[in-house]
Amino acid sequence: MATIDECRAALEKLSDTMAGVDGQVREATALDRSVSCHITDLDITFVGRMRDGRIEVHDTLQGPPAEKAQIRLAMTGDALVALVDGQLNFAKAWGSGRVKLEAGFRDLLQLRKLL
């Protein structure tokens, strides 16, 4: 089971990867939205913002998110680490329910460019 530090490091790696993309993918990362990532097996939530092509984690909270972020993810810590390391395909994980993504329709259309 991934630790809180490993999950935080995976989010930082994802942010670094997002900052380095170009083209249509860069357009998708340019969203300015509140973000939450609930790590179900650790029962913690990273909350922050997607802004300027990066994910800025502002806080780590115990339990599910208290406020509804504009982009909401939920998964196990191992799934997060595997996704960021390229060992887990996002579309397959989302389709199987291993990863949950909730966002407004327009945001989902933009985010699919990332996936």
Side-chain angles (χ1 to χ4, degrees), residues 13-77:
K13 182 177 178 181
L14 176 61
S15 182
D16 291 344
T17 300
M18 288 172 50
V21 297
D22 293 320
Q24 283 188 330
V25 177
R26 180 69 179 166
E27 182 182 316
T29 66
L31 295 171
D32 184 1
R33 301 287 187 269
S34 59
V35 177
S36 68
C37 182
H38 182 73
I39 307 300
T40 56
D41 55 338
L42 299 174
D43 197 25
I44 60 156
T45 301
F46 295 98
V47 293
R49 236 173 146 78
M50 179 187 287
R51 176 183 309 155
D52 298 326
R54 298 195 64 82
I55 296 172
E56 304 165 353
V57 175
H58 297 167
D59 206 357
T60 305
L61 308 172
Q62 189 64 41
E67 295 182 21
K68 189 175 177 180
Q70 292 167 305
I71 299 172
R72 300 168 302 283
L73 291 160
M75 67 194 80
T76 64

Side-chain angles (χ1 to χ4, degrees), residues 1-21:
M1 179 167 59
T3 66
I4 292 173
D5 290 337
E6 290 170 325
C7 292
R8 184 180 304 280
L11 286 172
E12 288 174 13
K13 182 177 178 181
L14 176 61
S15 182
D16 291 344
T17 300
M18 288 172 50
V21 297

